[in-house]
Amino acid sequence: MEMKAVVSSTGLMLLFAWLSPSQALYFHIGETEKKCFIEEIPDETMVIGRYRTQLWDKQAGSFLPSTPGLGMHVEIKDPDAKIILSRQYGSDGRFTFTSHTPGEHQICLHSNSTKMALFAGGKLRVHLDIQVGEHTNNYPEIAAKDKLTELQLRVRQLLDQVEQIQKEQNYQRYREERFRMTSESTNQRVLWWSIAQTFILIITGIWQMRHLKSFFEAKKLV
């Protein structure tokens, strides 16, 4: 599915993406920059994010693995702007959360650069991989833990996929309902505005006619 990215003048990047098995990308951040991504997620869906950081080395002229002291702060907000995760991680990390409200979830990352003199004025490369829904499951591990045969594991995968498809369909219906309500509200406002304009024109016309009549009577033309 297609991913779109928009970078504002303040350095805030918004990533609008439909659900896909895995979205891997990398981006650069400066010392005080904050990067935010927006994921449209159905309700009751697990999301796993993995990242690793590389620090620009002037002598080598390339990005090298970051030192252990350099970390990332991850903050996640639900569609109601409620913080559901806010935590400091290391230079490489993994974060998980489960959505409880369908819609756009905001995932923001920024470095603890104020604590690292090494990073002062430098540039950091962050590799980020986001997995949604049944793609967060480690099926080889599940098969080993539950002692599943290959057929049983395949059935388990299919059931998880069907469940995720149902969630996505429910989310699409939710979006369609919200769009329909917004359209109806807009149409109703346009209707009332048209009625108000018509009423104002009628009142203005009556006032003009009365004013002209008074003017002609004062001039004794009628």
Side-chain angles (χ1 to χ4, degrees), residues 10-158:
T10 59
L12 177 65
M13 181 173 71
L14 300 180
L15 177 67
F16 296 93
W18 290 104
L19 296 176
S20 67
S22 177
Q23 297 171 8
L25 69 156
Y26 73 84
F27 55 91
H28 297 150
I29 59 175
E31 185 177 359
T32 59
E33 279 188 289
K34 182 179 183 180
K35 299 291 186 180
C36 292
F37 303 85
I38 291 179
E39 282 281 352
E40 288 190 297
I41 306 172
D43 59 343
E44 303 303 326
T45 300
M46 177 176 285
V47 178
I48 294 179
R50 295 181 178 86
Y51 72 88
R52 60 183 178 89
T53 59
Q54 293 178 306
L55 188 62
W56 174 256
D57 189 293
K58 293 182 179 179
Q59 295 181 350
S62 61
F63 288 94
L64 300 178
S66 300
T67 58
L70 182 61
M72 297 292 295
H73 185 271
V74 179
E75 182 179 88
I76 300 172
K77 296 181 180 180
D78 66 7
D80 300 323
K82 179 181 177 182
I83 297 176
I84 58 179
L85 176 66
S86 181
R87 184 177 173 183
Q88 186 77 27
Y89 294 88
S91 56
D92 296 342
R94 175 181 181 273
F95 58 88
T96 63
F97 69 93
T98 300
S99 62
H100 299 292
T101 304
E104 296 180 346
H105 288 67
Q106 189 179 64
I107 304 172
C108 296
L109 300 92
H110 64 86
S111 69
N112 60 347
S113 58
T114 55
K115 301 179 182 179
M116 288 290 295
L118 180 64
F119 185 34
K123 184 166 60 174
L124 190 69
R125 173 179 287 179
V126 182
H127 297 263
L128 179 64
D129 179 31
I130 297 177
Q131 296 180 327
V132 180
E134 83 277 7
H135 304 288
T136 60
N137 295 329
N138 188 338
Y139 287 106
E141 182 178 331
I142 293 174
K145 181 180 178 181
D146 297 340
K147 298 180 180 179
L148 302 177
T149 64
E150 184 177 353
L151 179 59
Q152 290 174 327
L153 180 61
R154 183 56 182 165
V155 171
R156 172 71 177 270
Q157 290 176 320
L158 291 174

